[in-house]
Amino acid sequence: MSSFSLHLCSATRRERIDGVTHFIGEDASGWFGLLPQHARLVTVLDYGLARYRTDAPEWHYVALPGAVLSFRSNHLSITTRRYLQGTDFERINQALEDELRADERRLGVLKDHLSRLEREMSRRLSRIARP
């Protein structure tokens, strides 16, 4: 059976998985699949789970906080800030949900800081504008 290579790249690590026979991911247009010898493709993957299969019967899951995917000459490259992968769907899915909650908390803190900064800037500008 024909296969391709998957290259997973993040800020802290890089992996190469040979013998990939199927890949399924999601971008802005929806779910799509890749098989060996697919035409050249570049897209941005959505936040979530992608999966791939080798000659082994189980699927391997990859949790991604968004990524750039490039398929060319039977080489699939996925570049992201971070990722988690494995065959245990429940563990990977739970890790993705935990990461999403942590991102939401960090975003809430950032919004709070920005709001305070805007109030302080308005206060100082009104003080400067007074005659």
Side-chain angles (χ1 to χ4, degrees):
M1 176 178 271
S2 185
S3 64
F4 56 90
S5 297
L6 170 60
H7 304 266
L8 292 170
C9 306
S10 76
T12 59
R13 64 183 176 152
R14 181 181 179 97
E15 291 182 65
R16 178 182 170 150
I17 298 114
D18 290 319
V20 176
T21 58
H22 299 82
F23 176 85
I24 297 175
E26 183 180 15
D27 64 7
S29 67
W31 289 98
F32 65 93
L34 297 173
L35 296 170
Q37 306 303 324
H38 193 279
R40 187 174 183 175
L41 172 71
V42 175
T43 190
V44 176
L45 295 176
D46 286 343
Y47 192 109
L49 285 176
R51 63 184 175 169
Y52 67 91
R53 182 178 264 166
T54 60
D55 291 334
E58 71 272 353
W59 285 98
H60 297 262
Y61 299 93
V62 183
L64 303 159
V68 175
L69 176 145
S70 171
F71 190 88
R72 180 178 170 199
S73 301
N74 256 0
H75 293 278
L76 174 59
S77 295
I78 298 176
T79 305
T80 183
R81 294 178 309 190
R82 61 187 174 275
Y83 67 90
L84 178 64
Q85 69 139 343
T87 57
D88 185 350
F89 174 79
E90 293 301 323
R91 184 179 70 81
I92 300 295
N93 193 44
Q94 185 62 49
L96 183 64
E97 289 177 10
D98 293 346
E99 184 66 34
L100 181 58
R101 280 192 290 279
D103 282 349
E104 287 173 353
R105 279 192 303 275
R106 286 189 292 268
L107 184 58
V109 169
L110 180 61
K111 285 181 178 180
D112 183 52
H113 289 314
L114 286 173
S115 178
R116 281 190 263 154
L117 180 62
E118 287 175 347
R119 285 193 305 269
E120 182 63 21
M121 287 176 63
S122 293
R123 187 179 65 78
R124 288 182 184 191
L125 286 173
S126 67
R127 193 174 350 142
I128 292 170
R130 281 188 231 146

